[in-house]
């Protein structure tokens, strides 16, 4: 960074760093001649080569503060929702109510009155304290009016840019979208008594791998028909995750004991295990690769996320330990610079690759009100999260200013309490729908205009023990459930 000092008598010296002392009254960017002005706080001088990382860490803190405020806002909104039924209540309508309606009205008002006598007395001083703290923060933050004007201008600019860049292609895409349903190809179902936790398609949907207990069955797949070609028995424990590479004829598999196996097809179409790695001590729940296929990311019941890179062999380069319970699913964004994760604790992590330190770093911890077993990036600014219990899918969007994710809406699906963590969420970009398993259902959810979502088609099964995957083109869905004990194939039909 070539910046010259503008202080008088400093001979246009190059700026070499910045003072980060909060009490400093001098010019913060400094040159060699400026050092005497900062003699009382020399330890607070930061060279330019360290400035980016210093700013990066403070941005993370700002994001965390923003998320805490959002969490408080959600709590206040939930509290306000309790009062909405009574706002501007028309007292003259009581005569038109039935006995059960009057009973619920009186019970609700009594509960609020009881809360007012006890809990609201505790809440009032806390509210005053929060208001006072906010006023202090605002007093210390200068140029608020200019900042607000700049923010509004930037938002409008972003909106205009989005309209210019995407209106044409998006309108064309909308015209091509047709209603869908999935037809069961019953005649092609395969009886399979052993449990199948994982299914994976290869890059052109010509091969399907299915994890059947400790075996991996390889099928040739053509026009909805599965023809078994190989059985791989190198795993000694149940296979829990499969992932086909897109650029090469390889796939990876993980099992109940933390082993990851790398498979490659040789010139005679035999599948050979080229490497076995193990640095995780429990079930491998999810395996994903980046587009360049030089990074494997794995998550496990040992509460860790591991990043594997290819040298001569795959080696573990980094471990994330911020989760304190089992980690169910991982998902890459489109730019491949962020990963999200969730599991059996009430937390979503947003992990980003830092070019400065050449490592993956947790940049946001999103507290949630429930456990969640599935999540999926829709694009760089949008992802979905399936809570374990209830009838909602949460939608998170990136704030264009803070660059952090917040929950902005939800999708209503079937009621359920899911206990099985396999069968990851999947977004089919070409058809603009999300595949999301919840309890005994597979929901096909269409993304509509303005990033809205609606359930377009649901498939009900007789069991929660339901696993599978959809082909990348959205044409076929392959599942196994422990009621039918069949590998079933469904074909997409556009109406």
């Amino acid at each position: 960074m070539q910046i010259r000092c503008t202080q008088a008598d400093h001979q246009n010296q190059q700026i070499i760093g910045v003072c980060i002392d909060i009490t400093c009254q001098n010019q913060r960017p400094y040159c060699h001649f400026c050092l005497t002005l900062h003699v009382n706080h020399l330890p607070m001088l930061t060279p330019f080569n360290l400035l980016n990382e210093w700013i990066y860490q403070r941005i993370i803190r700002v994001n965390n503060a923003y998320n805490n405020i959002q969490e408080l806002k959600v709590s206040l909104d939930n509290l306000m929702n309790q009062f909405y039924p009574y706002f501007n209540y028309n007292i003259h309508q009581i005569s038109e109510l039935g006995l059960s309606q009057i009973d619920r009205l009186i019970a609700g008002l009594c509960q609020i009155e009881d809360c007012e006598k006890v809990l609201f007395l505790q809440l009032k001083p806390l509210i005053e304290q929060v208001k006072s703290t906010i006023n202090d923060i605002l007093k210390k933050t200068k140029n608020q009016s200019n900042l607000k004007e700049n923010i509004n201008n930037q938002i409008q600019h972003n909106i205009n840019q989005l309209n210019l860049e995407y209106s044409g292609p998006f309108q064309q895409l909308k015209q091509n979208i047709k209603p869908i349903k999935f037809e069961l190809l019953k005649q092609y179902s395969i009886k399979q008594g052993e449990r199948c936790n994982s299914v994976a398609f290869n890059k052109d949907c010509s091969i399907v791998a299915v994890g059947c207990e400790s075996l991996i069955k390889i099928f040739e797949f053509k026009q909805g028909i599965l023809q078994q070609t190989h059985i791989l028995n190198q795993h000694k424990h149940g296979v829990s995750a499969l992932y086909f590479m897109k650029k090469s004829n390889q796939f990876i598999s993980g099992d109940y004991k933390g082993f990851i196996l790398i498979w490659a097809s040789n010139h005679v179409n035999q599948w050979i295990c080229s490497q076995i790695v193990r640095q995780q001590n429990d079930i491998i729940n999810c395996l994903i690769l980046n587009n360049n296929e030089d990074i494997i990311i794995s998550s496990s019941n040992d509460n860790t996320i591991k990043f594997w890179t290819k040298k001569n062999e795959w080696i573990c380069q980094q471990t994330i330990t911020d989760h304190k319970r089992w980690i169910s699913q991982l998902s890459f964004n489109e730019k491949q610079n962020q990963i999200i994760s969730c599991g059996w604790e009430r937390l979503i992590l947003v992990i980003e690759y830092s070019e400065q330190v050449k490592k993956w770093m947790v940049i946001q911890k999103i507290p949630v009100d429930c456990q969640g077993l599935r999540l999926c990036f829709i694009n760089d600014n949008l992802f979905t999260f399936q809570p374990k219990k209830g009838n909602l899918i949460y939608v998170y969007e990136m704030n264009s200013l803070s660059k952090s994710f917040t929950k902005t809406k939800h999708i209503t699906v079937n009621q359920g309490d899911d206990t099985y963590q396999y069968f990851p969420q999947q977004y089919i970009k070409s058809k603009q729908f999300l595949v999301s398993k919840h309890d005994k259902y597979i929901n096909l959810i269409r993304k509509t205009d303005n990033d809205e979502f609606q359930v377009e088609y649901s498939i009900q099964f007789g069991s929660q023990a339901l696993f599978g995957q959809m082909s990348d083109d959205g044409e076929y869905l392959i599942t196994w459930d422990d009621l039918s004990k069949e590998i079933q194939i469904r074909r997409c039909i556009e109406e």
Side-chain angles (χ1 to χ4, degrees), residues 118-131:
V118 182
L119 300 178
F120 288 1
L121 293 177
Q122 302 174 25
L123 185 60
K124 187 174 181 180
L126 292 175
I127 292 174
E128 293 301 322
Q129 182 179 353
V130 170
K131 288 166 62 178

Side-chain angles (χ1 to χ4, degrees), residues 60-103:
I60 292 176
R61 294 182 187 180
V62 172
N63 288 341
N64 290 337
Y66 180 87
N67 290 330
N68 289 335
I69 295 169
Q70 284 292 327
E71 187 176 358
L72 175 61
K73 182 178 180 298
V74 169
S75 297
L76 292 174
D77 287 343
N78 290 337
L79 182 60
M80 290 295 293
N81 289 336
Q82 304 302 312
F83 301 113
Y84 284 147
Y86 311 106
F87 284 168
N88 301 318
Y89 193 85
N90 187 349
I91 197 69
H92 300 294
Q93 291 180 347
I94 293 180
S95 60
E96 302 175 7
L97 300 179
L99 285 178
S100 61
Q101 292 173 312
I102 294 175
D103 182 73

Side-chain angles (χ1 to χ4, degrees), residues 141-158:
T141 307
K142 299 178 181 180
N143 302 321
Q144 288 297 305
S145 58
N146 291 337
L147 176 61
K148 184 176 180 180
E149 182 179 353
N150 291 337
I151 289 171
N152 289 337
N153 290 338
Q154 185 62 44
I155 291 174
Q156 188 60 49
H157 174 73
N158 291 341

Side-chain angles (χ1 to χ4, degrees), residues 365-410:
K365 294 183 177 182
I366 305 174
V368 288
D369 57 4
C370 55
Q371 296 170 325
L373 307 183
R374 295 170 183 84
L375 81 178
C376 181
F377 265 114
I378 306 300
N379 53 44
D380 290 325
N381 302 313
L382 191 72
F383 72 82
T384 53
F385 167 79
Q386 174 68 74
K388 178 180 178 293
K389 294 183 181 180
N391 67 334
L392 300 177
I393 294 176
Y394 296 167
V395 180
Y396 289 81
E397 296 184 68
M398 180 183 287
N399 184 290
S400 61
L401 302 175
S402 67
K403 301 302 180 183
S404 61
F405 287 96
T406 56
K407 184 173 70 174
T408 57
K409 64 190 78 168
H410 62 259

Side-chain angles (χ1 to χ4, degrees), residues 128-370:
E128 293 301 322
Q129 182 179 353
V130 170
K131 288 166 62 178
S132 176
T133 301
I134 290 173
N135 287 334
D136 289 342
I137 292 172
L138 294 177
K139 287 177 183 177
K140 292 181 179 181
T141 307
K142 299 178 181 180
N143 302 321
Q144 288 297 305
S145 58
N146 291 337
L147 176 61
K148 184 176 180 180
E149 182 179 353
N150 291 337
I151 289 171
N152 289 337
N153 290 338
Q154 185 62 44
I155 291 174
Q156 188 60 49
H157 174 73
N158 291 341
I159 291 172
N160 293 338
Q161 285 297 110
L162 286 172
N163 288 336
L164 287 172
E165 292 176 14
Y166 295 111
S167 59
F170 186 69
Q171 290 298 328
Q172 182 65 36
L173 184 60
K174 283 200 301 179
Q175 294 171 6
N176 294 333
I177 291 176
K178 300 176 182 179
I180 59 166
K181 68 176 183 178
F182 277 80
E183 175 188 37
L184 173 62
L185 305 179
K186 184 64 177 175
Q187 69 274 29
Y188 301 145
S189 296
I190 298 174
K191 281 296 180 181
Q192 172 60 49
E194 295 82 13
R195 177 167 155 173
C196 302
N197 285 325
S198 52
V199 177
F201 287 85
N202 75 334
K203 55 188 175 182
D204 60 3
C205 301
S206 63
I207 299 174
V208 172
V210 181
C212 306
E213 294 293 355
S214 62
L215 301 177
I216 300 175
K217 295 186 178 182
I218 305 295
F219 297 87
E220 182 184 86
F221 186 65
K222 187 175 183 180
Q223 296 181 345
I225 302 174
L226 289 169
Q227 183 68 45
Q228 184 175 307
T229 58
H230 301 85
I231 296 180
L232 310 179
N233 60 3
Q234 275 85 343
H235 279 285
K236 304 306 178 186
H237 311 280
V239 176
S240 52
L242 293 167
Y243 193 102
F244 264 101
M245 298 186 185
K246 309 301 182 186
K247 291 185 175 182
S248 60
N249 205 16
Q250 300 183 76
F251 73 91
I252 53 177
S253 59
D255 67 23
Y256 286 178
K257 291 297 184 179
F259 287 94
I260 299 173
L261 275 60
I262 316 298
W263 301 87
S265 179
N266 61 18
H267 62 281
V268 292
N269 293 325
Q270 292 180 328
W271 290 93
I272 306 298
C273 178
S274 60
Q275 186 182 352
I276 299 175
V277 297
R278 189 194 186 211
Q279 285 201 13
Q280 290 182 303
N281 301 313
D282 212 326
I283 300 174
I284 301 294
N285 292 322
C286 188
L287 292 168
I288 59 174
L289 281 85
N290 64 340
N291 290 341
N292 291 333
E293 297 187 349
D294 55 4
I295 301 173
I296 296 174
I297 304 97
S298 60
S299 66
S300 170
N301 277 10
D302 68 3
N303 311 336
T304 67
I305 299 170
K306 290 189 179 291
F307 296 80
W308 308 79
T309 57
K310 183 74 178 289
K311 304 299 182 183
N312 293 326
E313 292 188 326
W314 291 96
I315 61 171
C316 183
Q317 185 181 53
Q318 186 182 348
T319 302
I320 299 289
T321 59
D322 292 63
H323 280 289
K324 304 307 176 188
R325 295 196 65 188
W326 303 347
I327 306 162
S328 298
Q329 189 177 354
L330 308 166
S331 180
F332 259 119
N333 67 346
E334 287 187 316
K335 290 181 180 177
Q336 302 274 289
N337 66 335
Q338 286 189 342
I339 295 166
I340 47 176
S341 62
C342 70
W344 290 80
E345 62 182 318
R346 302 183 177 200
L347 181 69
I348 299 171
L349 294 186
V350 182
I351 305 166
E352 184 173 88
Y353 186 72
S354 169
E355 291 290 348
Q356 285 76 27
V357 297
K358 304 300 181 185
K359 283 189 176 182
W360 293 87
M361 301 179 65
V362 176
I363 63 167
Q364 187 180 0
K365 294 183 177 182
I366 305 174
V368 288
D369 57 4
C370 55

